[in-house]
Amino acid sequence: MAGAVAAIVVAGGRGIRAGGELPKQYRTIGGIPVLRLSLAAFTSHPEIAMVQPVIHADDEQLFSAASAGLPLRPAVRGGATRQASVFSGLEALAPDEPEIVLVHDAARPFASAELVSRAVAAGCKGAAVPGLPVSDTVKAIDASGRVVETLDRSRLRTVQTPQAFVFSTLLAAHRKAREAGRDDFTDDAALAEWAGLPVDIFEGEAGNMKLTTAEDFARAERDSLAALGDVRTGCGYDVHAFTDGDHVMLGGVRIPHERGVSGHSDADVALHALVDAILGALAEGDIGVHFPPSDPQWRGAASELFLAFAVERVRQRGGRIAHLDVTLVCEAPRIGPYREAICARIAEIAGVPLDRVGLKATTSEKLGFTGRREGLVAHATATLRLPWSTT
Ligand code: MG
């Protein structure tokens, strides 16, 4: 494709230094897999025409979960080294003849759109890599660890990805390296240098950090929480009357009971109150605005749909649910035996860990309409973390 820019995202490594059970590119920052963040930096960029993931053969399932819904080329399997993995990506792209290729490490999830644009502009000239000046003094040492030289740091740069190349040039350099039996280049710039290509530096980004150690992940998680500093709390309240029937729905769980509950949907007070709590925290109206009782399509609807909608609104706002809490008020049915199941179901629908869902139940001491067993009540609180708005 003449003029097209492709991006290869290399995710074939095992990443054991970061600790944990998953390869580091599948661990999450702010609840989102690192690889998904890295891929999205390119799929969401207007100058990138195609994104080619390279993954480890053992990671097919992890990859499909992490990349669901992103517009990607089919992933190809990497090789034993980073260089071999990049080569797999280049060969996969070759039939489409992109003009420029960016090569990016999956473990750098914070590359900005501006950095990607700088890479595209720099790659047109042949070979270019993002670099940063060195602020620490750098010493060269001998085998015993003794300093032999203090390097002139004005002539040093630390180098990142995405690295940018004319596609045909990088592919030819990789083929040449294979023919020469070299498979040990740790980045594409080193391979290009070996092949005799001039490599330019363009301005890198301090925030474009490579996640390597457990400490890197901890810092990135802290930063991601700090970015979601707009903490909101919403409350919700719902009532439904008992009527003839043999069960009630509470928190998405069917509870056998001598009465049913009347309502235009499945009349799940717990989920309705939670939806209003979330919408309240978002300041986006209430459940009736989004799902009017007058609309026949919601008659008998499973209220899980309403909660899933509210959760998706949080996601679209770039936020996270920090905590959900429900109090049920009724004389009967008894909630205790179903507490765990209800919490588990709410956690599942909301996509939050079980320890972020609270559920209490109380009677009203036989007072009022709940005390007379005429209906049941739910109060709910939702705590959200949203990005600070720039408007
Ligand atoms: Mg309701």
Side-chain angles (χ1 to χ4, degrees):
M1 226 187 289
V5 182
I8 294 173
V9 177
V10 194
R14 300 287 79 195
I16 45 176
R17 268 187 294 171
E21 292 178 356
L22 289 175
K24 64 180 178 181
Q25 61 272 34
Y26 295 102
R27 293 182 59 185
T28 59
I29 298 294
I32 302 173
V34 167
L35 175 56
R36 185 179 186 86
L37 294 168
S38 300
L39 291 166
F42 298 95
T43 57
S44 65
H45 198 287
E47 294 174 65
I48 307 297
M50 44 193 137
V51 180
Q52 177 62 62
V54 183
I55 66 172
H56 193 279
D58 295 344
D59 295 344
E60 304 266 352
Q61 277 187 315
L62 285 170
F63 175 76
S64 40
S67 64
L70 292 177
L72 301 168
R73 293 167 65 91
V76 293
R77 290 183 174 192
T81 63
R82 183 187 184 283
Q83 182 187 328
S85 292
V86 174
F87 187 66
S88 296
L90 291 169
E91 292 282 19
L93 286 167
D96 288 300
E97 298 181 356
E99 186 164 326
I100 309 287
V101 63
L102 309 187
V103 183
H104 189 61
D105 289 331
R108 291 187 190 268
F110 307 122
S112 73
E114 293 74 22
L115 179 66
V116 173
S117 292
R118 287 202 293 279
V120 173
C124 298
K125 295 168 200 146
V129 299
L132 288 174
V134 177
S135 53
D136 292 330
T137 296
V138 182
K139 309 279 189 190
I141 57 173
D142 65 14
S144 67
R146 178 162 291 168
V147 170
V148 293
E149 189 187 356
T150 297
L151 301 174
D152 175 6
R153 69 182 181 195
S154 69
R155 299 186 61 239
L156 297 175
R157 294 291 181 272
T158 58
V159 164
Q160 309 177 326
T161 69
Q163 302 189 349
F165 306 87
V166 169
F167 180 83
S168 55
T169 306
L170 185 64
L171 181 58
H174 267 264
R175 285 178 175 158
K176 185 173 166 184
R178 280 174 86 86
E179 280 160 24
R182 291 289 305 266
D183 64 358
D184 54 336
F185 293 108
T186 53
D187 75 347
D188 297 279
L191 188 150
E193 292 155 38
W194 169 83
L197 300 169
V199 179
D200 292 323
I201 297 268
F202 60 93
E203 187 191 347
E205 225 168 44
N208 179 31
M209 63 188 282
K210 185 172 188 175
L211 302 180
T212 302
T213 64
E215 173 55 31
D216 295 337
F217 273 83
R219 189 185 318 126
E221 192 70 49
R222 281 196 300 275
D223 290 351
S224 114
L225 270 187
L228 294 176
D230 188 359
V231 177
R232 310 275 195 95
T233 302
C235 69
Y237 171 79
D238 197 36
V239 178
H240 282 271
F242 283 123
T243 183
D244 292 340
D246 61 1
H247 75 279
V248 299
M249 293 298 294
L250 282 174
V253 174
R254 182 188 171 101
I255 299 178
H257 189 47
E258 63 200 25
R259 314 290 321 267
V261 190
S262 66
H264 79 289
S265 66
D266 65 5
D268 188 325
V269 284
L271 295 190
H272 292 186
L274 275 172
V275 171
D276 268 357
I278 294 171
L279 292 174
L282 293 171
E284 291 194 24
D286 63 21
I287 191 169
V289 170
H290 298 279
F291 303 97
S294 55
D295 187 336
Q297 70 169 307
W298 309 122
R299 192 176 305 282
S303 297
E304 298 180 5
L305 289 176
F306 308 151
L307 181 56
F309 167 84
V311 170
E312 175 61 16
R313 287 300 308 153
V314 176
R315 198 193 63 78
Q316 287 172 1
R317 292 272 294 267
R320 271 207 254 175
I321 294 172
H323 188 250
L324 299 173
D325 190 26
V326 180
T327 301
L328 294 168
V329 186
C330 58
E331 300 293 325
R334 286 189 59 225
I335 305 301
Y338 300 95
R339 182 192 305 272
E340 277 182 40
I342 292 171
C343 288
R345 189 69 194 113
I346 291 171
E348 187 180 1
I349 302 165
V352 299
L354 197 51
D355 66 356
R356 291 177 180 273
V357 178
L359 176 67
K360 294 91 59 203
T362 183
T363 71
S364 55
E365 298 289 341
K366 299 194 170 65
L367 297 172
F369 68 88
T370 49
R372 294 189 298 270
R373 300 176 181 244
E374 292 167 3
L376 69 173
V377 165
H379 300 267
T381 307
T383 307
L384 311 184
R385 302 189 71 111
L386 298 179
W388 287 110
S389 170
T390 50
T391 55

mmCIF file of all heavy atoms in Angstrom, residues 10 12 35 78 111 165 173-174 225 281 293 313 323 325-326 330 342 348 358 371 375 385:
data_model
loop_
_atom_site.group_PDB
_atom_site.id
_atom_site.type_symbol
_atom_site.label_atom_id
_atom_site.label_comp_id
_atom_site.label_asym_id
_atom_site.label_seq_id
_atom_site.Cartn_x
_atom_site.Cartn_y
_atom_site.Cartn_z
ATOM 1 N N VAL A 10 5.453 -5.891 19.283
ATOM 2 C CA VAL A 10 6.138 -7.134 19.617
ATOM 3 C C VAL A 10 5.768 -7.548 21.040
ATOM 4 O O VAL A 10 6.083 -6.849 22.001
ATOM 5 C CB VAL A 10 7.665 -6.966 19.516
ATOM 6 C CG1 VAL A 10 8.348 -8.335 19.520
ATOM 7 C CG2 VAL A 10 8.045 -6.207 18.250
ATOM 8 N N GLY A 12 6.016 -11.041 22.152
ATOM 9 C CA GLY A 12 6.336 -12.467 22.217
ATOM 10 C C GLY A 12 7.130 -12.883 23.437
ATOM 11 O O GLY A 12 7.363 -14.075 23.651
ATOM 12 N N LEU A 35 -0.768 -4.901 27.042
ATOM 13 C CA LEU A 35 -0.719 -5.081 25.587
ATOM 14 C C LEU A 35 -1.862 -4.331 24.904
ATOM 15 O O LEU A 35 -1.670 -3.734 23.839
ATOM 16 C CB LEU A 35 -0.784 -6.582 25.244
ATOM 17 C CG LEU A 35 -0.869 -6.914 23.761
ATOM 18 C CD1 LEU A 35 0.288 -6.304 22.975
ATOM 19 C CD2 LEU A 35 -0.894 -8.436 23.563
ATOM 20 N N GLY A 78 5.694 -15.214 17.308
ATOM 21 C CA GLY A 78 7.051 -14.716 17.355
ATOM 22 C C GLY A 78 8.061 -15.853 17.329
ATOM 23 O O GLY A 78 7.698 -17.028 17.297
ATOM 24 N N ALA A 111 2.934 5.234 25.115
ATOM 25 C CA ALA A 111 3.367 6.084 24.002
ATOM 26 C C ALA A 111 2.220 7.005 23.598
ATOM 27 O O ALA A 111 1.103 6.553 23.382
ATOM 28 C CB ALA A 111 3.790 5.213 22.821
ATOM 29 N N PHE A 165 11.105 3.020 10.404
ATOM 30 C CA PHE A 165 11.947 2.658 9.266
ATOM 31 C C PHE A 165 11.144 2.695 7.972
ATOM 32 O O PHE A 165 9.932 2.442 7.978
ATOM 33 C CB PHE A 165 12.480 1.225 9.425
ATOM 34 C CG PHE A 165 13.194 0.994 10.726
ATOM 35 C CD1 PHE A 165 12.490 0.610 11.859
ATOM 36 C CD2 PHE A 165 14.566 1.196 10.833
ATOM 37 C CE1 PHE A 165 13.138 0.400 13.074
ATOM 38 C CE2 PHE A 165 15.222 0.994 12.048
ATOM 39 C CZ PHE A 165 14.510 0.595 13.167
ATOM 40 N N ALA A 173 17.324 -5.424 5.753
ATOM 41 C CA ALA A 173 18.349 -5.519 6.794
ATOM 42 C C ALA A 173 18.145 -6.776 7.638
ATOM 43 O O ALA A 173 19.102 -7.467 7.999
ATOM 44 C CB ALA A 173 18.321 -4.267 7.663
ATOM 45 N N HIS A 174 16.876 -7.078 7.974
ATOM 46 C CA HIS A 174 16.579 -8.285 8.750
ATOM 47 C C HIS A 174 16.968 -9.542 7.969
ATOM 48 O O HIS A 174 17.519 -10.500 8.517
ATOM 49 C CB HIS A 174 15.094 -8.340 9.125
ATOM 50 C CG HIS A 174 14.797 -7.743 10.476
ATOM 51 N ND1 HIS A 174 14.698 -8.477 11.627
ATOM 52 C CD2 HIS A 174 14.589 -6.454 10.844
ATOM 53 C CE1 HIS A 174 14.426 -7.673 12.661
ATOM 54 N NE2 HIS A 174 14.359 -6.442 12.203
ATOM 55 N N LEU A 225 -3.982 5.501 38.932
ATOM 56 C CA LEU A 225 -4.991 5.891 39.927
ATOM 57 C C LEU A 225 -5.015 7.402 40.106
ATOM 58 O O LEU A 225 -6.081 8.008 40.221
ATOM 59 C CB LEU A 225 -4.681 5.229 41.270
ATOM 60 C CG LEU A 225 -5.312 3.866 41.520
ATOM 61 C CD1 LEU A 225 -5.044 3.432 42.941
ATOM 62 C CD2 LEU A 225 -6.810 3.886 41.247
ATOM 63 N N ALA A 281 -23.654 9.166 40.097
ATOM 64 C CA ALA A 281 -22.237 9.536 40.196
ATOM 65 C C ALA A 281 -21.734 10.121 38.877
ATOM 66 O O ALA A 281 -20.860 10.984 38.861
ATOM 67 C CB ALA A 281 -21.411 8.326 40.610
ATOM 68 N N PRO A 293 -40.262 3.359 31.493
ATOM 69 C CA PRO A 293 -41.246 2.312 31.777
ATOM 70 C C PRO A 293 -42.317 2.224 30.692
ATOM 71 O O PRO A 293 -42.937 1.172 30.527
ATOM 72 C CB PRO A 293 -41.868 2.771 33.107
ATOM 73 C CG PRO A 293 -40.912 3.731 33.690
ATOM 74 C CD PRO A 293 -40.176 4.357 32.552
ATOM 75 N N ARG A 313 -21.313 2.899 30.534
ATOM 76 C CA ARG A 313 -21.201 4.371 30.545
ATOM 77 C C ARG A 313 -19.959 4.817 31.329
ATOM 78 O O ARG A 313 -19.270 5.757 30.948
ATOM 79 C CB ARG A 313 -22.459 5.008 31.161
ATOM 80 C CG ARG A 313 -23.696 4.950 30.282
ATOM 81 C CD ARG A 313 -23.519 5.655 28.965
ATOM 82 N NE ARG A 313 -23.037 7.026 29.143
ATOM 83 C CZ ARG A 313 -22.321 7.694 28.238
ATOM 84 N NH1 ARG A 313 -21.997 7.132 27.094
ATOM 85 N NH2 ARG A 313 -21.934 8.930 28.485
ATOM 86 N N HIS A 323 -16.311 1.018 44.032
ATOM 87 C CA HIS A 323 -17.057 0.279 45.056
ATOM 88 C C HIS A 323 -18.550 0.393 44.807
ATOM 89 O O HIS A 323 -19.028 1.437 44.352
ATOM 90 C CB HIS A 323 -16.724 0.857 46.448
ATOM 91 C CG HIS A 323 -17.280 0.050 47.568
ATOM 92 N ND1 HIS A 323 -18.310 0.479 48.364
ATOM 93 C CD2 HIS A 323 -16.963 -1.187 48.008
ATOM 94 C CE1 HIS A 323 -18.600 -0.448 49.269
ATOM 95 N NE2 HIS A 323 -17.794 -1.474 49.074
ATOM 96 N N ASP A 325 -22.333 -0.598 46.867
ATOM 97 C CA ASP A 325 -22.852 -1.006 48.173
ATOM 98 C C ASP A 325 -24.375 -0.948 48.134
ATOM 99 O O ASP A 325 -24.946 0.028 47.635
ATOM 100 C CB ASP A 325 -22.295 -0.066 49.249
ATOM 101 C CG ASP A 325 -22.600 -0.567 50.651
ATOM 102 O OD1 ASP A 325 -22.771 -1.793 50.826
ATOM 103 O OD2 ASP A 325 -22.659 0.271 51.563
ATOM 104 N N VAL A 326 -25.017 -1.999 48.638
ATOM 105 C CA VAL A 326 -26.485 -2.086 48.605
ATOM 106 C C VAL A 326 -26.999 -2.426 49.998
ATOM 107 O O VAL A 326 -26.410 -3.253 50.697
ATOM 108 C CB VAL A 326 -26.946 -3.203 47.627
ATOM 109 C CG1 VAL A 326 -28.467 -3.291 47.601
ATOM 110 C CG2 VAL A 326 -26.397 -2.971 46.237
ATOM 111 N N CYS A 330 -36.471 -5.445 53.944
ATOM 112 C CA CYS A 330 -37.674 -6.265 53.803
ATOM 113 C C CYS A 330 -37.788 -7.195 55.012
ATOM 114 O O CYS A 330 -36.787 -7.489 55.661
ATOM 115 C CB CYS A 330 -37.664 -7.068 52.501
ATOM 116 S SG CYS A 330 -36.248 -8.158 52.299
ATOM 117 N N ILE A 342 -25.498 -13.148 45.455
ATOM 118 C CA ILE A 342 -25.867 -11.817 44.947
ATOM 119 C C ILE A 342 -24.609 -10.966 44.736
ATOM 120 O O ILE A 342 -24.439 -10.325 43.692
ATOM 121 C CB ILE A 342 -26.841 -11.120 45.926
ATOM 122 C CG1 ILE A 342 -28.185 -11.853 45.939
ATOM 123 C CG2 ILE A 342 -27.030 -9.654 45.550
ATOM 124 C CD1 ILE A 342 -29.149 -11.370 47.028
ATOM 125 N N GLU A 348 -19.765 -9.690 38.973
ATOM 126 C CA GLU A 348 -19.563 -10.191 37.607
ATOM 127 C C GLU A 348 -20.114 -9.203 36.576
ATOM 128 O O GLU A 348 -19.441 -8.866 35.597
ATOM 129 C CB GLU A 348 -20.250 -11.553 37.480
ATOM 130 C CG GLU A 348 -19.968 -12.246 36.171
ATOM 131 C CD GLU A 348 -20.673 -13.598 36.086
ATOM 132 O OE1 GLU A 348 -21.384 -13.982 37.038
ATOM 133 O OE2 GLU A 348 -20.510 -14.258 35.048
ATOM 134 N N GLY A 358 -20.526 -4.484 48.380
ATOM 135 C CA GLY A 358 -21.087 -4.669 49.717
ATOM 136 C C GLY A 358 -22.575 -4.961 49.626
ATOM 137 O O GLY A 358 -23.257 -4.464 48.720
ATOM 138 N N GLY A 371 -42.488 -3.102 56.625
ATOM 139 C CA GLY A 371 -42.841 -3.864 57.821
ATOM 140 C C GLY A 371 -44.132 -4.632 57.641
ATOM 141 O O GLY A 371 -44.314 -5.715 58.196
ATOM 142 N N GLY A 375 -44.017 -4.511 50.293
ATOM 143 C CA GLY A 375 -43.039 -4.334 49.230
ATOM 144 C C GLY A 375 -41.635 -4.394 49.792
ATOM 145 O O GLY A 375 -41.453 -4.623 50.993
ATOM 146 N N ARG A 385 -14.291 6.325 40.077
ATOM 147 C CA ARG A 385 -13.121 7.171 39.827
ATOM 148 C C ARG A 385 -13.150 7.549 38.359
ATOM 149 O O ARG A 385 -13.165 6.675 37.493
ATOM 150 C CB ARG A 385 -11.826 6.398 40.125
ATOM 151 C CG ARG A 385 -11.726 5.858 41.538
ATOM 152 C CD ARG A 385 -10.335 5.324 41.782
ATOM 153 N NE ARG A 385 -9.398 6.414 41.868
ATOM 154 C CZ ARG A 385 -8.768 6.788 42.996
ATOM 155 N NH1 ARG A 385 -8.944 6.095 44.096
ATOM 156 N NH2 ARG A 385 -7.954 7.805 43.002
#
